[in-house]
Amino acid sequence: MISYKELGLVNTKEMFAKAVKGGYAIPAFNFNNMEQMQAILQACVATKSPVILQVSSGARKYANQTLLRYMAQGAVEYAKELGCNIPIVLHLDHGDSFELCKSCVDMGFSSVMIDGSHLPYDENVALTRKVVEYAHKYDVTVEGELGVLAGVEDDVKAEHHTYTQPEEVEDFVKKTGVDSLAISIGTSHGAFKFKPGQKPEIRLDILHEIEKRIPGFPIVLHGSSSVPQDIVAEINHYGGRLKDSIGIPENQLREAAKSAVCKINIDSDGRLAMTAAIRRVFTEHPEEFDPRKYLGPARDKLKELYMHKIVNVLGSNDKADCGCEGTK
Ligand code: G3H
Ligand code: 13P
Ligand code: ZN
């Protein structure tokens, strides 16, 4: 058993309280490898933003949970080397069982998500409660989810959104003791969030209704990539074949971040940015075969994307309370 506190990580409690009060959201960026981790840290240090590093089940399968945890531990030192002691959370994204959440708590994660959103309400409550009881013993914070996002989530495919029912949130939060709640208001995972011709719009009305029921309680938005069209065009220009990829408009996310939404999950946009950079190198320099020559530019593009998100969408720049000079 290792506590995240020994690793220099923090849980989400103080971070979320400040974000809700300050009208901004913390970036929750997924990582699977070193370049993604470096880009996240470089962007967050450059903008003095707190950060949540997310590990999904897919990331665990791909890169190994232990390696990822050590990378996050290294991230704390790396941030200091880059010049700023920003607050860093290591979070399990879409935990699907008590055992998995427990194992993450035991190995130094500071935050876990238990995603019981596909279960009947009472089962979701019971599972989430069980995780909370364990995690809170070690001061690890817990994210639960109510409502189902359309698309593929935890290998379960949902054709349509099941929006979070505002009438349920108060009861869920009270019975489970969760520290934050992920809701379904029209976002979805991946790069194809809306059909062509469909208006890309999230249900801010449901968000505001939820906020009224649990004032000031930290809300999380999954599936919040915006699928930047310039990046999609670059991918296609350099031989990619992405058709009809549409994301959540950034101005709607900015609006949500001003409310009790205090954690916004972004993964797909990062995947797109890396792909565009790598395709460009492969097309323009077909003689290159050193991975650093294409992963390096991918890392730079990722950093640029994340800085843009932090400053122009989430508003978490200069919120690290690190004591060093801000970006303003
Ligand atoms: O929630 C989904 C995240 O984008 C992680 O995706 O399971 O393919 O790693 P993944
Ligand atoms: P995107 O696929 O929209 O980036 O969402 C990521 C996410 O919600 C991770 O949990
Ligand atoms: Zn998600």
Side-chain angles (χ1 to χ4, degrees):
M1 168 97 208
I2 178 136
S3 165
Y4 67 88
K5 294 175 189 173
E6 293 166 45
L7 309 181
L9 299 162
V10 297
N11 69 18
T12 58
K13 203 161 243 152
E14 200 183 317
M15 219 182 243
F16 284 172
K18 286 183 182 161
V20 171
K21 232 170 131 198
Y24 61 92
I26 311 288
F29 296 135
N30 292 70
F31 76 104
N32 298 268
N33 67 22
M34 183 189 73
E35 283 77 11
Q36 290 171 325
M37 164 70 87
Q38 288 172 320
I40 296 170
L41 267 295
Q42 289 174 12
C44 291
V45 167
T47 54
K48 312 280 182 251
S49 170
V51 66
I52 297 172
L53 299 171
Q54 300 203 129
V55 172
S56 71
S57 298
R60 290 173 62 252
K61 275 186 213 132
Y62 175 78
N64 180 280
Q65 170 168 300
T66 308
L67 273 180
L68 292 173
R69 196 276 273 167
Y70 277 99
M71 279 171 68
Q73 186 176 349
V76 175
E77 297 309 315
Y78 181 56
K80 285 185 206 155
E81 262 179 46
L82 291 172
C84 182
N85 195 11
I86 56 169
I88 301 173
V89 169
L90 177 61
H91 175 77
L92 169 68
D93 192 23
H94 294 286
D96 59 358
S97 67
F98 171 77
E99 291 69 27
L100 172 56
C101 292
K102 179 181 180 303
S103 116
C104 287
V105 170
D106 292 351
M107 76 178 317
F109 281 57
S110 58
S111 173
V112 292
M113 173 187 194
I114 176 69
D115 183 355
S117 60
H118 298 99
L119 298 171
Y121 181 79
D122 288 339
E123 288 176 36
N124 187 1
V125 169
L127 176 62
T128 307
R129 176 77 221 154
K130 191 173 171 192
V131 171
V132 168
E133 274 169 8
Y134 185 77
H136 279 187
K137 277 195 237 167
Y138 304 98
D139 216 9
V140 169
T141 37
V142 180
E143 175 184 323
E145 180 165 337
L146 258 186
V148 183
L149 275 63
V152 180
E153 214 180 12
D154 289 347
D155 299 327
V156 179
K157 190 163 172 26
E159 282 304 325
H160 303 288
H161 302 286
T162 305
Y163 295 123
T164 306
Q165 293 178 34
E167 318 71 83
E168 285 183 349
V169 293
E170 204 182 339
D171 184 68
F172 186 82
V173 163
K174 208 187 289 165
K175 283 190 178 145
T176 59
V178 278
D179 302 281
S180 60
L181 181 68
I183 59 168
S184 170
I185 56 166
T187 63
S188 57
H189 293 104
F192 306 92
K193 301 185 193 298
F194 299 95
K195 304 233 156 43
Q198 212 181 350
K199 197 168 177 203
E201 205 163 35
I202 54 172
R203 294 287 304 272
L204 291 171
D205 58 318
I206 299 180
L207 167 64
H208 296 317
E209 186 55 39
I210 289 170
E211 276 186 285
K212 266 192 233 153
R213 311 264 179 155
I214 44 173
F217 190 81
I219 303 290
V220 177
L221 286 189
H222 282 249
S224 296
S225 278
S226 294
V227 189
Q229 292 302 300
D230 56 329
I231 296 181
V232 172
E234 197 175 342
I235 291 175
N236 289 339
H237 178 75
Y238 289 108
R241 262 190 232 145
L242 287 181
K243 210 173 159 277
D244 301 331
S245 27
I246 306 169
I248 312 293
E250 289 187 340
N251 61 338
Q252 293 180 34
L253 294 169
R254 182 75 205 100
E255 215 36 54
K258 285 183 195 155
S259 72
V261 168
C262 61
K263 172 175 179 270
I264 291 192
N265 289 11
I266 298 171
D267 188 3
S268 298
D269 282 354
R271 296 177 180 191
L272 292 167
M274 289 186 90
T275 303
I278 290 171
R279 279 196 173 279
R280 177 192 276 263
V281 176
F282 283 170
T283 307
E284 291 181 348
H285 302 283
E287 73 286 0
E288 285 298 353
F289 62 94
D290 178 344
R292 292 171 297 188
K293 294 285 167 39
Y294 49 88
L295 293 177
R299 182 175 62 193
D300 292 345
K301 197 164 174 74
L302 199 50
K303 177 186 175 187
E304 188 191 319
L305 171 92
Y306 287 150
M307 286 179 71
H308 160 71
K309 297 281 175 189
I310 288 166
V311 174
N312 300 312
V313 184
L314 309 176
S316 63
N317 50 304
D318 297 315
K319 301 296 191 301
D321 273 346
C322 47
C324 41
E325 226 173 276
T327 55
K328 280 176 252 166

